[in-house]
Amino acid sequence: MQGLSVTGLSAAYRKSKVLDEVNFKLPKGSLTGIVGPNGAGKSTLLKVMLELHPKLGGTVHFAGKPLKTMRKKIGYVPQRGSVDWDFPTDALDVVMMGLYGNVGWMKSPKARHREQAMAALEQMGMADYARRQISQLSGGQQQRVFLARALVQDAELYFMDEPLAGVDAATEQAIMTTLRELKGRSKTVMVVHHDLQTVEDYFDHVLLLNRTVMNYGETADVFTKDNVYRTYGAGLRWRQEVPS
Amino acid sequence: MTLLLSPNAWWVLLSMLVLGVASGMIGCLAYWKRQSLMSDALSHAALPGVVIAFAITGVKILPVLILGAAISALIGAFLVQWVVSSSRIKEDTAMGIVLSVFFGLGIMLLTIVNRTGGGNVSGLDGFIFGQAASMVRTDVYTMSALGLVVISIVWLGFKEWKLFLFDPAFAKGLGLSVRLMNSLYSGVLVLVIVIGIQAVGVILMSALLIIPAVSARYWTHSFKWMLIGAAVIGGGSGVIGTVISTMGKGWPTGPFIVVSSAAFFVVSLLFGAQKGLVIVRLQQRSRIKSEVSVPAEREKMVVKEGGY
């Protein structure tokens, strides 16, 4: 069963190319870590696939269909730093945003939408903070709110940009439990990841990226010392972070 | 005070209330788009359009002047974008250039039209500092109708505005057209500016957009209540400033509106219920006290929240 297929995808910022001929295929129900050095285009890859950033060329198919018809089946978790957490709103309200597509444009959310949002917060262990100002949440709590917002979308495919960056251990566990649970329900999940040490524990598939796909496939086959070195080039100095 | 008693003055007040409410709400959008200065650039950029519209048509009818102002302001907005995208000049610098050049051009044209057009043009001076008292009944209708359009656009799309301002990337992922929202935002911003400049003036119009929004921020942690608060403060400043300016003959409206909104701002800054200096100081004091008296309780809280 096809989860995701990307063919010849290229993109640029201003005039410099950041993604060059990206090709890969991932099966439905896979949990994939996107790994690569800084500036490899990991975040850009997600944005270009979801047409949040213009592409130069290439095609993307979600469960065999183009983005247009799949938009409602796709959940996106942007980087936590991409929004202003000083914005006047609370955790529950942010999670409700994930339901705006279902609520309908220019209509008000109903009680059942609020219940759905509460359930998602509960799943992320954030029920007690539903009415908390988002500026008063810790970084990990903010990340959980973002995860909860993606969960209420009840999507088929999830794309998450560094959900584990700068979060506390408890949040990391909560997020990983959720990701595995999504995988268990045959959702296709792609996660931009920065910590090489946890790749093998967390992901069944891996996409090594440095402006183009260096390698992809099942973690056990692809996440090898040679491949990782090749992806990171001279930038990799920490022996202990490279799998043996 | 005699002016206040005339029925026309009541109509003027009503339209200033609508204008204040509309600009307070649009100010909230501009505040979270981090574009407060943009409103200042656009209002200054409107002046040449007003003068040119008058010079071409020879009439001083508000809809015509508003149209000229809108075109001129949009050209200003376009120029800011163009300078930023085609050079290394930063947005605030670009806005500074556009603001001063357009205003200078407007004053220059005004002088020329004044020389050649005779006493007929005296009313145009009012566009610099604003002259609410000089508005006639049809001006009031035009202003109120357009103001109500702006208010309903913000109110009907409240949920969409919130999503668009907080997280545009996520909004786009949900299928909300960010390009449409951006155009709509520029549209309502220009609209509220051009309907306001006759009454408030191009120099101080931005105060009616910026100050109510930033004042309302001190009172609430909810975007809805920030909009309502800014509407109340904007409407209040509009009405109070207008009442004072109508007390003397030829008193400009803009400065009085700015001073009254500044009074709202000072009160909000000090006594605002959420972020006001007094409440923040009180919270700090009680926090220190509780930390001294019940350290264990405090620690429990930190652990529960997963640490700081």
Side-chain angles (χ1 to χ4, degrees), chain A residues 84 86 93 104 106 149, chain B residues 34 159-160 162 167 217:
Chain A
D84 185 351
D86 208 27
D93 205 33
M106 310 233 289
R149 184 177 67 169
Chain B
R34 303 275 173 219
K159 170 168 122 285
E160 286 71 26
K162 188 166 65 178
D167 196 344
R217 181 74 187 96

Side-chain angles (χ1 to χ4, degrees), chain A residues 91-113:
Chain A
L92 183 64
D93 205 33
V94 172
V95 177
M96 298 259 279
M97 288 179 186
L99 291 166
Y100 281 6
N102 298 355
V103 173
W105 302 123
M106 310 233 289
K107 290 182 188 145
S108 308
K110 305 280 181 301
R112 67 188 157 92
H113 297 118

Side-chain angles (χ1 to χ4, degrees), chain B residues 8 50 58-59 64 69 80 83 97 115 127 143 146 176 203 218 236:
Chain B
N8 192 53
V50 174
V59 291
V64 173
V80 170
V83 168
I97 296 170
R115 285 272 166 80
F127 276 87
M143 249 180 82
L146 292 175
L176 182 70
I203 297 183
Y218 285 94

Side-chain angles (χ1 to χ4, degrees), chain A residues 14 51-52 71 76 78 82-89 93-94 97-98 100-101 103-107 109 128-129 132-134 136 138 141 146 149 153 168, chain B residues 31-32 34 84-85 87 156-157 159-163 165-176 217 220-224 226 275 304-308:
Chain A
R14 294 225 164 197
E51 291 180 13
L52 304 174
R71 198 134 236 173
Y76 172 54
S82 68
V83 304
D84 185 351
W85 290 94
D86 208 27
F87 192 85
T89 187
D93 205 33
V94 172
M97 288 179 186
Y100 281 6
V103 173
W105 302 123
M106 310 233 289
K107 290 182 188 145
D128 292 346
Y129 300 92
R132 182 73 67 93
Q133 261 312 293
I134 56 170
Q136 289 163 11
S138 73
Q141 291 168 337
F146 260 15
R149 184 177 67 169
Q153 287 183 269
D168 53 289
Chain B
Y31 181 92
W32 289 110
R34 303 275 173 219
V84 170
S85 62
S87 70
L156 284 174
K159 170 168 122 285
E160 286 71 26
W161 287 113
K162 188 166 65 178
L163 178 62
L165 293 170
F166 174 63
D167 196 344
F170 189 77
K172 209 171 168 185
L174 285 185
L176 182 70
R217 181 74 187 96
T220 174
H221 275 320
S222 135
F223 185 57
K224 188 197 233 169
M226 182 175 167
K275 290 191 142 206
K304 198 179 159 203
E305 288 178 15
Y308 286 106

Side-chain angles (χ1 to χ4, degrees), chain B residues 80-249:
Chain B
V80 170
Q81 292 310 319
W82 179 73
V83 168
V84 170
S85 62
S86 63
S87 70
R88 288 187 167 275
I89 296 171
K90 292 225 164 61
E91 194 175 33
D92 60 338
T93 314
M95 288 192 286
I97 296 170
V98 167
L99 183 154
S100 46
V101 169
F102 272 68
F103 184 65
L105 186 69
I107 296 290
M108 196 184 87
L109 290 171
L110 197 58
T111 318
I112 295 169
V113 173
N114 257 329
R115 285 272 166 80
T116 53
N120 192 12
V121 294
S122 58
L124 286 188
D125 294 354
F127 276 87
I128 298 171
F129 287 115
Q131 196 64 267
S134 72
M135 290 195 296
V136 296
R137 185 70 66 89
T138 51
D139 296 351
V140 166
Y141 289 156
T142 310
M143 249 180 82
S144 309
L146 292 175
L148 288 172
V149 167
V150 169
I151 292 169
S152 30
I153 288 176
V154 177
W155 201 245
L156 284 174
F158 165 73
K159 170 168 122 285
E160 286 71 26
W161 287 113
K162 188 166 65 178
L163 178 62
F164 164 71
L165 293 170
F166 174 63
D167 196 344
F170 189 77
K172 209 171 168 185
L174 285 185
L176 182 70
S177 168
V178 171
R179 188 178 294 177
L180 174 75
M181 292 303 281
N182 267 318
S183 310
L184 212 52
Y185 164 73
S186 305
V188 287
L189 180 62
V190 166
L191 198 55
V192 83
I193 286 171
V194 296
I195 60 173
I197 54 175
Q198 185 192 22
V200 185
V202 295
I203 297 183
L204 299 173
M205 182 58 213
S206 63
L208 205 45
L209 284 154
I210 298 169
I211 301 176
V214 79
S215 308
R217 181 74 187 96
Y218 285 94
W219 293 96
T220 174
H221 275 320
S222 135
F223 185 57
K224 188 197 233 169
W225 284 103
M226 182 175 167
L227 274 177
I228 295 170
V232 170
I233 294 172
S237 321
V239 168
I240 294 169
T242 307
V243 168
I244 299 173
S245 84
T246 49
M247 286 175 178
K249 197 170 164 50

Side-chain angles (χ1 to χ4, degrees), chain A residues 20-63:
Chain A
D20 197 7
E21 289 287 319
V22 170
N23 296 292
F24 64 90
K25 278 193 172 76
L26 292 167
K28 185 175 158 75
S30 57
L31 174 54
T32 306
I34 306 175
V35 176
N38 287 334
K42 304 186 290 287
S43 298
T44 310
L45 175 61
L46 293 192
K47 285 183 189 151
V48 173
M49 281 164 52
L50 303 178
E51 291 180 13
L52 304 174
H53 181 85
K55 62 181 175 189
L56 293 175
T59 53
V60 184
H61 283 94
F62 303 88

Side-chain angles (χ1 to χ4, degrees), chain A residues 215-237:
Chain A
N215 279 101
Y216 77 95
E218 292 189 24
T219 310
D221 304 332
V222 172
F223 198 67
T224 61
K225 185 175 174 177
D226 283 353
N227 284 343
V228 172
Y229 262 118
R230 213 159 56 82
T231 306
Y232 279 76
L236 196 69
R237 292 170 288 153

